[in-house]
C-alpha cells in the first residue's frame, strides 16, 4: 500500500464522517479516557485521535483482529473496524548519484491497519482503571431543566450522539461525565431542548 492510497483512505473516512453531519472537532464530549491499544497500552496519536474520536463507542480500548483472537476474544458478526495509520522514520543506505558513495537517507514507513473497539468484541474484559476527577452538576442549570414545562425524557447513553427524537419525545445525551466540562454538557442539552421547543411550533 503506497502513501497516496493511505492518504486516500484517511480522506475517505473523514468525508464519510462529515456526510453524517458529525463535526468531531467541536464535540465537547469524549470517549472515556484516551484512545489506546488494549495489548500494548500505547495511545494513538495524530490523525488517529481524530478518526477514533468520531466513533460511537465510549470505551477507549482498541484491538486488532489478530490481537483479539490471541486473547481469546471474538469480533461480533457484522462489526466494522476503523482504519488507523502508523508511521515511523527509517534510515536506509542509498548511493549518491553524484559522488558514487553510499549515504544514509531517512525515509518514512507508512502503513494502515484495522482496529476494533472493545465494545465490538466478546470475551475480553476492559482493564480496571482508577476513577478520574469528576465534575459536579450545576444547580442553576438543573433548575432550568426541572422547571421546564412538559420537558421531554432525557436519557444518557454511551456514544457520541446528542439529539432530540420527536417521534419518541426524547432527548438522548452522552453521559454527563464524558463531557470535558459541566458547562459543555448543559450547553449541549439546552441546544437539544431548543430543538424540542421548535418542534412544538413547527408544523409536522
Amino acid at each position: 500500500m503506497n502513501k497516496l492510497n493511505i492518504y486516500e483512505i484517511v480522506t475517505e473516512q473523514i468525508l464519510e464522517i462529515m456526510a453524517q453531519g458529525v463535526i468531531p472537532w467541536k464535540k465537547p464530549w469524549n470517549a472515556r479516557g484516551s484512545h489506546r491499544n488494549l495489548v500494548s497500552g500505547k495511545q494513538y496519536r495524530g490523525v488517529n485521535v481524530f478518526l477514533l474520536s468520531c466513533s460511537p463507542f465510549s470505551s477507549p480500548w482498541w484491538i486488532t483482529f489478530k490481537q483479539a483472537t490471541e486473547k481469546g476474544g471474538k469480533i461480533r458478526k457484522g462489526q466494522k473496524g476503523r482504519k488507523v495509520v502508523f508511521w515511523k522514520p527509517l534510515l536506509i543506505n542509498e548511493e549518491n548519484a553524484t559522488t558514487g558513495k553510499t549515504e544514509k537517507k531517512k525515509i518514512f514507513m507508512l502503513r494502515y491497519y484495522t482496529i476494533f473497539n472493545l465494545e465490538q468484541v466478546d470475551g475480553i474484559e476492559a482493564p480496571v482503571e482508577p476513577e478520574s476527577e469528576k465534575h459536579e452538576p450545576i444547580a442553576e442549570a438543573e433548575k432550568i431543566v426541572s422547571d421546564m414545562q412538559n420537558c421531554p425524557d432525557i436519557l444518557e447513553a454511551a456514544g457520541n450522539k446528542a439529539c432530540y427524537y420527536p417521534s419518541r419525545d426524547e432527548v438522548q445525551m452522552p453521559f454527563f461525565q464524558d463531557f470535558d466540562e459541566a458547562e459543555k454538557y448543559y450547553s449541549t442539552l439546552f441546544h437539544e431542548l431548543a430543538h424540542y421547543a421548535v418542534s412544538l411550533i413547527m408544523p409536522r
Side-chain angles (χ1 to χ4, degrees), residues 62-110:
W62 297 82
I63 196 168
T64 66
F65 181 89
K66 180 180 179 182
Q67 289 173 333
T69 302
E70 290 175 346
K71 289 183 70 67
K74 185 177 181 181
I75 308 297
R76 294 185 193 133
K77 186 176 180 180
Q79 292 296 315
K80 184 178 179 181
R82 295 266 170 168
K83 289 183 174 61
V84 291
V85 296
F86 169 79
W87 66 272
K88 70 176 181 179
L90 297 174
L91 289 177
I92 63 171
N93 293 321
E94 184 174 87
E95 182 179 337
N96 188 308
T98 303
T99 64
K101 294 181 179 180
T102 300
E103 300 176 349
K104 293 288 185 180
K105 179 182 179 182
K106 180 185 286 188
I107 63 172
F108 290 91
M109 180 184 72
L110 182 64

Side-chain angles (χ1 to χ4, degrees), residues 1 19 24 29 57 81 103 106 115 175 181:
M1 179 67 66
W29 63 90
F57 308 110
E103 300 176 349
K106 180 185 286 188
I115 58 175
F175 289 115
E181 301 171 357

Side-chain angles (χ1 to χ4, degrees), residues 5 8 14 33 87 136 151 185-187:
N5 288 338
E8 290 175 346
I14 293 174
W87 66 272
E136 298 296 326
C151 184
Y185 172 86
Y186 292 107
S187 175

Side-chain angles (χ1 to χ4, degrees), residues 108-125:
F108 290 91
M109 180 184 72
L110 182 64
R111 66 177 63 169
Y112 80 92
Y113 52 101
T114 302
I115 58 175
F116 296 85
N117 189 269
L118 198 57
E119 293 178 11
Q120 299 174 281
V121 183
D122 291 323
I124 302 177
E125 295 294 328

